[in-house]
Amino acid sequence: MLALEGLTKHFGGVQALQDLNLKVSKGSIMGLIGPNGSGKSTTVNLICGVFGITRGRILFDGEDISRVPTHLRLSQGIARTFQNIRLFGQLTVWQNLWVAQNAPEQKHGEPFLRRWFGGSRRAQAQVQGLLEFAGLAHKAQEQASNLSFGEQRRLELARALASQPKLLLLDEPAAGMNMEEINDLKQRVLALRAEGKTILLVEHVMELVMGVTDQIAVLDFGRKIAQGSPAEVQQNPQVREAYLGTQAR
Amino acid sequence: MVDFLQNIVDGVMVGSGYALLGLGFTLIFGVMRRLNLSYGPSVMVGIFVGTWFHLRGAGLLAVIAATLAGTVLANVYVDRLCFWAVRQRSAITAVVSSFVIWMQLEEAVILVFPDRTYPFPRLTALEPIELGPIFFRAEYVTMFACVALLLAGVWLLVYRTRFGLALRAVAQDPVAARYMGIPLDWIGLGVAVMAALIGGLAGLLIAGTDQLVIPKFGLWATYKGLIAMMLGGMGSIPGAVCGGLLLGVAEIQFVWYLGAQFRDLAAYFLLFTFLVLRPGGLLGQAIVRRELAAFRRI
């Protein structure tokens, strides 16, 4: 599904990411963890095409997408959420979901005027489905900035799903959440996997990562130091060292 | 009292032209976060294109079409050069380059039209309308009616269509909008065309009322539009309209009670008062606060 081959990114003299190889297979959930500044967010940003890559390739469905502009990666089937919530605060919940429906089949499958003025039944039904998924159906006409923190996180997740992506990049979706909200999120992520979505999950909250992922890759100083199932990674001495320092051994 | 009312009527009519210019500025600023100083000069290029056709005996419709087309072409040229090419770079670079393009446009027009002052056709040949003691100049009524129609159209486009929704999404968070598959370049182009059509109409109505065009029209239009936008609040659509109307009324009142030489002083007086008492403008508080915060970070 997604394959990163020798992915390298330098910012001036800083080596943010060094020779990263990573394969995410279809329908699985890959966790990406590591201490602060280890290159997790850089990886997500590179997959989304925020900045050019220094070396290496990004293959998606066997196709090299390293040079595809950001706004077109969505039509390839890649969508994301943000570490710090980036909703369109002055639009309503409904509009936030509707404006993100930009996949090619959603764009061209409908009569132009229909789409121009509010969308076909099918598009509206999709939005309605997302509202229910996010548990926000009763707040469809609420302005997004008026939602609570947890609701905003849920809306962001739903917005990323609006274009029906194949690959979902979740950048620290549990940041700032309490236990109850994390469990809630866990259920949603598992539900997404049941639907066959492929997910790359960047996260600090181990409760979530260990609970939902099939594979975990660990980054430290821009290099991958370990990969394996959650249990394997937990036992790995290098990972413990990266997180806790040498003393912990 | 009748004078005062008559001034308000005239002011609103004159101000509706300013409102259009302010609206164009505010669209560009609100969506792209860039100040396009070349906006007025592109309108000037448009009306000179119209004049070129007028001088060669073209009919009114052809002149109108040529003016709008000229403005759109000039403004797209500015957009591609100043805002597309340097979009990734700082806002200051884009503003400075738009100033350079302004000079270029003005010099180009002077090169083609060396006599400086040229005639422009009247849009309507109707008699003024009298309503009791108040006079309505036919040109002004036409202008006001066009502006009202156009405002309704812009409102529909921005608040009732998907294109408008994308515009507002970009205005609020261009980064997130890009990830949601909204192409910023096309949105920028759409905004440039929209602003140019609005400005072209303003140019037509104003030049048609004065029946003459000069290369300094570009400076004039930028200055009126900028002040209308700042009075109303940067990036606010209803604000720009209110700002334009307010500016028109203030100018006419100043001219009537103080003399014609005070006309431009009215604009500065208003601007000064607003900057001191209500720096966010009539309706733009939130946006300016965000810009200020951005400045402090620098």
Side-chain angles (χ1 to χ4, degrees):
Chain A
M1 187 77 175
L2 177 77
L4 310 178
E5 292 181 355
L7 199 59
T8 302
K9 178 67 191 176
H10 296 173
F11 292 107
V14 182
Q15 305 187 344
L17 205 60
Q18 196 65 37
D19 207 22
L20 175 66
N21 291 301
L22 194 67
K23 272 204 171 66
V24 184
S25 51
K26 199 170 166 58
S28 71
I29 300 185
M30 168 70 83
L32 197 57
I33 62 172
N36 284 326
S38 59
K40 306 184 300 291
S41 286
T42 307
T43 312
V44 170
N45 285 337
L46 287 176
I47 298 173
C48 287
V50 191
F51 19 70
I53 53 187
T54 309
R55 258 198 318 278
R57 291 202 301 168
I58 302 170
L59 295 176
F60 185 66
D61 268 348
E63 223 176 302
D64 187 354
I65 59 160
S66 321
R67 302 259 171 278
V68 175
T70 308
H71 70 268
L72 291 180
R73 296 201 186 194
L74 186 91
S75 13
Q76 306 259 347
I78 300 177
R80 72 170 292 180
T81 64
F82 298 91
Q83 190 175 341
N84 41 351
I85 301 173
R86 302 193 83 133
L87 289 169
F88 304 120
Q90 286 162 46
L91 303 184
T92 64
V93 170
W94 201 89
Q95 286 171 330
N96 262 287
L97 296 173
W98 163 232
V99 81
Q101 288 198 334
N102 280 320
E105 59 269 24
Q106 289 167 330
K107 257 187 195 163
H108 306 302
E110 289 177 25
F112 177 76
L113 282 180
R114 247 331 254 290
R115 189 172 153 77
W116 195 257
F117 295 101
S120 67
R121 287 234 175 76
R122 191 169 55 110
Q124 295 189 355
Q126 269 174 23
V127 171
Q128 195 58 39
L130 290 169
L131 284 173
E132 273 150 27
F133 170 79
L136 290 170
H138 58 293
K139 296 212 166 168
Q141 297 308 321
E142 188 77 43
Q143 210 177 325
S145 56
N146 293 341
L147 296 182
S148 74
F149 180 77
E151 287 169 335
Q152 292 197 359
R153 281 260 183 238
R154 265 151 41 205
L155 178 57
E156 248 213 348
L157 182 61
R159 186 180 64 169
L161 292 167
S163 61
Q164 302 184 318
K166 294 178 237 166
L167 174 67
L168 191 60
L169 306 170
L170 301 180
D171 196 355
E172 305 204 13
M177 280 187 170
N178 61 32
M179 247 5 249
E180 194 184 334
E181 287 168 325
I182 289 173
N183 277 325
D184 193 56
L185 178 65
K186 204 194 263 180
Q187 297 313 314
R188 279 174 221 279
V189 172
L190 289 173
L192 287 176
R193 187 177 53 180
E195 281 175 32
K197 296 255 185 270
T198 313
I199 299 175
L200 183 65
L201 173 69
V202 172
E203 190 51 82
H204 274 302
V205 180
M206 290 307 146
E207 180 65 26
L208 180 65
V209 181
M210 297 304 168
V212 300
T213 53
D214 301 303
Q215 285 267 306
I216 295 179
V218 189
L219 294 183
D220 191 25
F221 292 113
R223 285 170 198 280
K224 186 167 84 175
I225 55 171
Q227 184 175 351
S229 69
E232 285 164 11
V233 165
Q234 274 173 321
Q235 298 309 318
N236 189 314
Q238 258 185 307
V239 176
R240 293 177 153 246
E241 188 184 315
Y243 265 93
L244 304 170
T246 359
Q247 299 298 318
R249 255 198 284 184
Chain B
M1 189 58 199
V2 172
D3 289 344
F4 186 75
L5 279 180
Q6 177 72 53
N7 289 342
I8 288 186
V9 168
D10 287 346
V12 165
M13 306 272 175
V14 171
S16 57
Y18 302 159
L20 282 192
L21 293 168
L23 181 61
F25 264 111
T26 225
L27 269 177
I28 299 173
F29 182 82
V31 178
M32 306 316 293
R33 298 275 139 202
R34 295 286 185 271
L35 201 54
N36 182 357
L37 292 176
S38 264
Y39 178 60
S42 11
V43 174
M44 184 268 297
V45 170
I47 57 179
F48 266 95
V49 172
T51 297
W52 193 86
F53 278 88
H54 176 58
L55 291 175
R56 276 154 191 75
L60 188 60
L61 275 180
V63 172
I64 291 174
T67 305
L68 292 179
T71 313
V72 168
L73 280 181
N75 205 39
V76 167
Y77 169 74
V78 172
D79 176 71
R80 294 292 96 168
L81 221 55
C82 303
F83 303 106
W84 186 64
V86 291
R87 181 153 290 154
Q88 307 299 327
R89 300 181 198 287
S90 72
I92 293 296
T93 321
V95 174
V96 171
S97 55
S98 83
F99 182 73
V100 175
I101 304 296
W102 170 353
M103 295 298 123
Q104 185 199 25
L105 292 178
E106 200 168 305
E107 290 304 316
V109 165
I110 291 173
L111 216 62
V112 182
F113 295 88
D115 288 348
R116 304 289 172 120
T117 307
Y118 287 84
F120 200 84
R122 268 180 94 168
L123 297 178
T124 48
L126 299 172
E127 292 297 309
I129 304 157
E130 254 180 277
L131 229 106
I134 312 271
F135 274 93
F136 291 87
R137 273 183 72 185
E139 288 93 342
Y140 284 170
V141 175
T142 321
M143 181 175 333
F144 189 71
C146 288
V147 170
L149 267 179
L150 189 84
L151 285 180
V154 168
W155 187 84
L156 276 178
L157 187 67
V158 173
Y159 292 102
R160 282 289 175 271
T161 69
R162 196 177 158 87
F163 176 71
L165 196 58
L167 281 192
R168 285 183 290 150
V170 171
Q172 285 169 37
D173 192 337
V175 178
R178 207 156 47 126
Y179 286 116
M180 298 309 135
I182 299 170
L184 292 196
D185 284 344
W186 287 106
I187 293 288
L189 193 67
V191 168
V193 170
M194 240 171 101
L197 286 175
I198 294 168
L201 188 76
L204 264 176
L205 294 168
I206 293 164
T209 306
D210 298 346
Q211 292 173 48
L212 61 87
V213 291
I214 51 171
K216 282 280 171 257
F217 181 83
L219 170 68
W220 185 87
T222 289
Y223 147 73
K224 299 291 184 195
L226 265 182
I227 291 182
M229 170 171 84
M230 291 171 78
L231 292 181
M234 314 272 276
S236 157
I237 291 178
V241 175
C242 296
L245 296 183
L246 183 65
L247 178 60
V249 171
E251 279 190 1
I252 303 291
Q253 297 290 13
F254 266 63
V255 169
W256 182 260
Y257 289 108
L258 298 173
Q261 69 271 33
F262 286 94
R263 181 166 187 158
D264 287 344
L265 215 60
Y268 295 127
F269 172 74
L270 269 182
L271 196 58
F272 181 78
T273 317
F274 266 81
L275 286 178
V276 172
L277 298 179
R278 200 177 161 80
L282 285 171
L283 301 164
Q285 206 78 41
I287 290 168
V288 169
R289 206 176 284 145
R290 203 185 330 147
E291 298 294 306
L292 272 182
F295 258 113
R296 288 209 190 93
R297 250 177 274 135
I298 299 167

